[in-house]
Amino acid sequence: AKLIFRHGKFFLYVPVTINVPDTPAPSSCKKVVGIDRGIRFLAAACDGKKTSFYSGAAVKQKRAHYKELRRQLQKRQTSSARRRIRAIGQRENRWMNDVNHRISKALVCAHPKGTLFVLEDLTGIRGASERVRVKDRYTQVSWAYYDLEQKIMYKAVRCGSALLKVDPAYTSRECSGCGVVDKESRRTRSLFVCVACGLRLHADVNAARVI
């Protein structure tokens, strides 16, 4: 164990080992849930019947607040300002960590043991920031998608479920009804209308179903 004194209080950190059930093979799972991660909605989960949305509006607003606060402090060029910037960064990380804990817990607890959670493999997504508008780059780079993925993974395993990552190519352009891929089907950020079969869905719901 480790005894920590922080902010005028003592905390005792005690590591524990938890026995978890064997992770089921994807083919043996009785239920499949597709999860589309993004910035506008941190997660949109669909099991084929119902969809759950987790808005990212509060996160985007909070990130913007901290960014502006850091900008103002950087102008001062003082030691106290630099200490304040470090403290703000730690506070922001703790807050985002808590957000991802609550989302991942809600996702895993909403589905029974033996569920297969399917996510896009977003490895290398950071390198795509150059293709994003300059004003949106900070939001893209600070997006905690990997942390959310890790939390979903360990919570799923602990509950006897499994996680699978798939190729993210064309998931936003493919129709979950007929499988036709066409960029014209993605009418707006939130609307998907298939040019082939006419399926009309919220874009994130369609992506979650494809995943």
Side-chain angles (χ1 to χ4, degrees):
K2 184 182 291 186
L3 186 64
I4 302 292
F5 183 73
R6 181 176 293 167
H7 305 304
K9 295 181 180 179
F10 283 102
F11 297 88
L12 184 65
Y13 294 169
V14 183
V16 297
T17 300
I18 299 174
N19 293 321
V20 299
D22 293 334
T23 302
S27 58
S28 67
C29 292
K30 299 177 181 179
K31 187 175 185 180
V32 180
V33 178
I35 303 173
D36 179 53
R37 288 167 291 168
I39 295 172
R40 188 160 174 259
F41 289 101
L42 299 179
C46 182
D47 61 4
K49 295 180 180 179
K50 68 177 184 178
T51 305
S52 300
F53 287 99
Y54 301 88
S55 176
V59 171
K60 191 172 182 180
Q61 184 178 10
K62 194 89 167 182
R63 292 285 199 194
H65 167 71
Y66 281 125
K67 181 183 178 183
E68 177 59 24
L69 195 54
R70 276 193 291 268
R71 187 185 67 80
Q72 294 175 6
L73 290 168
Q74 285 168 353
K75 287 182 178 180
R76 299 181 185 178
Q77 296 291 319
T78 63
S79 297
S80 61
R82 285 190 286 271
R83 286 196 300 271
R84 179 69 172 157
I85 289 172
R86 286 195 295 271
I88 288 172
Q90 293 170 359
R91 186 186 307 159
E92 182 179 5
N93 289 338
R94 289 195 300 271
W95 175 77
M96 193 66 237
N97 186 55
D98 178 65
V99 169
N100 281 341
H101 263 304
R102 286 187 279 116
I103 292 174
S104 57
K105 182 178 180 180
L107 281 168
V108 173
C109 291
H111 302 283
K113 178 181 177 180
T115 295
L116 176 64
F117 295 95
V118 188
L119 303 172
E120 293 171 294
D121 185 353
L122 298 179
T123 304
I125 191 70
R126 295 283 188 233
S129 61
E130 293 182 357
R131 299 194 295 271
V132 179
R133 292 180 300 179
V134 174
K135 69 175 185 177
D136 294 330
R137 283 184 186 174
Y138 175 77
T139 303
Q140 177 82 10
V141 171
S142 62
W143 180 31
Y145 71 92
Y146 182 72
D147 181 63
L148 177 59
E149 176 185 305
Q150 293 299 300
K151 285 176 170 55
I152 294 173
M153 180 183 295
Y154 90 76
K155 285 181 173 67
V157 170
R158 192 168 64 183
C159 292
S161 294
L163 184 140
L164 177 70
K165 294 195 289 185
V166 297
D167 188 347
Y170 307 115
T171 52
S172 63
R173 300 180 180 182
E174 181 179 340
C175 175
S176 59
C178 65
V180 170
V181 178
D182 194 313
K183 65 179 182 180
E184 297 299 324
S185 296
R186 185 68 181 263
R187 302 296 175 86
T188 66
R189 291 173 62 188
S190 59
L191 180 62
F192 183 93
V193 182
C194 181
V195 296
C197 69
L199 179 69
R200 188 183 186 93
L201 282 174
H202 189 287
D204 292 336
V205 174
N206 178 74
R209 290 177 61 177
V210 170
I211 293 167

